[in-house]
Amino acid sequence: MADGQKQRVFSGVQPTGKLHIGNYVGAIKQWAGIQDQYDTIFCVVDLHAVTIPEAIDPKQFRAKILEVAALYLACGIDPAKSTIFLQSHVPEHSEMTWLLNCLAPLGWLYRMTQFKSKAGTNESVGTGLLDYPVLMASDILLYDTNKVPVGEDQKQHIEFTRDLAQRVNTMFAGAKLVIPDPMIPPAGARVMGLDDATAKMSKSTAETRKGHAIGLLDTPAQIKKAIMSAQTDSENEARFDHAGPGVRNLLDLYEVLSGQDRAAIEAEFHGQGYGKLKKALVEVTIAALEPIQARYQELTGAQDYLGDILRQGAERARSIAAPTLARLRDAMGFVAP
Ligand code: TRP
């Protein structure tokens, strides 16, 4: 087991799209909160971000990778407690992926819903899109990960990782891959789109639909605009268990960002017209993002510091990943270098 008796946690964010309040509330803030309890490793999964090659703009891509790394830190991931690194800095991810590719049944990959929805019937998509789950399994398995904090939408990928690990362990007993469990965030931490509360707030949608999301780096004016135009309904219902999806989303966000309890929130906003709730939400959102944005600004002026953190992170990551890869290579019969 990792680091004394602590269980190991691994998660990652793709450096694509626009990081938003849903990523903060549903993921990064949760991660920051478990750093003492677990041996935590947080990766910027840049290799995953090239599976849609048409979307790569090299200059923007490089900036985005560093932006996500800086936002990890700005949101409270502490390099003294957690390992923070870029996936492409640890070559074991790619080598592990090759070995696991040869052990992963093609049928399992064709059945993944993310592949089906992204590829459709288009035969010219990159092979990496099909292979995405194997790279993700490599990320997780290389670190003997016990728990993987991810949203509901990633559950199938964790199931795939578990099935693949079990299969490898059966084929090559010496591999001893650790079977990971998903760690799904609490219900209130799932933020829906402001413009359409039937779908989860999404980084890629946020790029194209203004008013869909609150970006972590949005200005107070942008935050205000997005929240004030958020979808509600024609009722006056601001009770958690009775509100329509749009209002419920605003209530949930207000609850996590204000730290107030539900009874107090309902007492303040129920039957009032939604303008009051929205204005209050604008305030708590701006207040919550202010320190994050200030720390982010500091980090953009300290690229050397960020570079050092990422180098140290990659070094520690390699010191864990390399022995796991060696274990699998040995179990399969490769000759030790
Ligand atoms: N597929 C994940 C997502 O889109 C990102 C990811 C890649 C990941 N590798 C991972 C998450 C390993 C957790 C663990 O959200």
Side-chain angles (χ1 to χ4, degrees):
M1 188 165 303
D3 195 15
Q5 282 315 301
K6 282 186 186 172
Q7 288 215 324
R8 183 165 289 140
V9 163
F10 183 102
S11 199
V13 169
Q14 272 197 59
T16 49
K18 175 168 150 174
L19 234 66
H20 53 65
I21 194 88
N23 299 121
Y24 175 62
V25 164
I28 306 175
K29 182 170 181 249
Q30 311 275 340
W31 302 354
I34 57 171
Q35 294 178 101
D36 291 317
Q37 201 181 337
Y38 293 96
D39 177 11
T40 39
I41 305 181
F42 300 116
C43 182
V44 180
V45 289
D46 50 3
L47 297 172
H48 277 103
V50 295
T51 48
I52 312 269
E54 296 76 16
I56 308 168
D57 171 332
K59 205 171 147 207
Q60 274 181 21
F61 183 41
R62 190 170 293 119
K64 200 61 169 183
I65 294 168
L66 294 170
E67 179 187 303
V68 174
L71 277 171
Y72 275 3
L73 297 176
C75 289
I77 308 280
D78 180 351
K81 295 178 179 172
S82 294
T83 300
I84 304 161
F85 74 104
L86 309 183
Q87 187 186 31
S88 64
H89 284 184
V90 178
E92 282 77 6
H93 289 248
S94 302
E95 187 176 346
M96 184 74 166
T97 299
W98 175 255
L99 297 182
L100 293 182
N101 269 339
C102 297
L103 307 172
L106 193 51
W108 292 9
L109 291 168
Y110 281 132
R111 279 198 289 278
M112 299 303 287
T113 54
Q114 181 174 301
F115 174 71
K116 286 196 279 189
S117 72
K118 292 204 172 167
T121 54
N122 180 1
E123 290 264 331
S124 66
V125 294
T127 307
L129 193 64
L130 179 67
D131 205 29
Y132 184 111
V134 180
L135 179 59
M136 180 159 164
S138 299
D139 297 342
I140 296 167
L141 298 173
L142 274 175
Y143 298 92
D144 290 338
T145 302
N146 305 105
K147 296 227 150 60
V148 189
V150 282
E152 283 287 336
D153 59 317
Q154 294 296 314
K155 255 188 163 165
Q156 195 187 30
H157 285 145
I158 308 297
E159 274 307 309
F160 172 89
T161 302
R162 292 169 56 92
D163 291 346
L164 183 57
Q166 252 136 14
R167 180 180 163 89
V168 173
N169 286 344
T170 307
M171 290 171 81
F172 306 102
K176 294 194 174 61
L177 298 177
V178 172
I179 312 296
D181 285 306
M183 195 179 198
I184 304 292
R190 184 177 153 95
V191 181
M192 312 305 282
L194 292 179
D195 60 347
D196 171 13
T198 61
K200 199 173 132 175
M201 195 177 276
S202 133
K203 282 190 295 175
S204 53
T205 309
E207 294 259 280
T208 53
R209 280 200 334 238
K210 279 204 184 346
H212 173 74
I214 301 161
L216 292 183
L217 299 174
D218 280 358
T219 62
Q222 288 170 314
I223 294 167
K224 185 168 178 202
K225 197 161 173 208
I227 293 174
M228 295 314 289
S229 53
Q231 178 198 41
T232 53
D233 49 51
S234 54
E235 312 293 321
N236 255 323
E237 182 56 75
R239 286 174 300 179
F240 282 82
D241 290 335
H242 302 272
V247 177
R248 175 61 194 258
N249 190 35
L250 301 179
L251 287 169
D252 283 340
L253 252 183
Y254 189 80
E255 183 186 15
V256 276
L257 295 178
S258 72
Q260 287 181 34
D261 65 39
R262 291 189 172 187
I265 295 169
E266 292 178 351
E268 195 170 348
F269 300 113
H270 181 57
Q272 296 278 321
Y274 300 130
K276 186 175 177 195
L277 170 63
K278 285 181 166 179
K279 283 196 193 111
L281 181 58
V282 169
E283 271 177 38
V284 293
T285 305
I286 292 174
L289 293 185
E290 215 165 46
I292 294 173
Q293 297 183 353
R295 261 175 274 149
Y296 178 81
Q297 287 311 329
E298 273 172 39
L299 286 162
T300 48
Q303 289 297 322
D304 289 350
Y305 168 74
L306 186 60
D308 284 346
I309 298 294
L310 295 176
R311 258 187 303 281
Q312 285 161 22
E315 212 172 288
R316 166 149 202 265
R318 281 198 93 166
S319 76
I320 303 166
T324 312
L325 178 63
R327 205 165 74 218
L328 178 59
R329 289 171 54 121
D330 183 57
M332 291 175 76
F334 285 99
V335 175

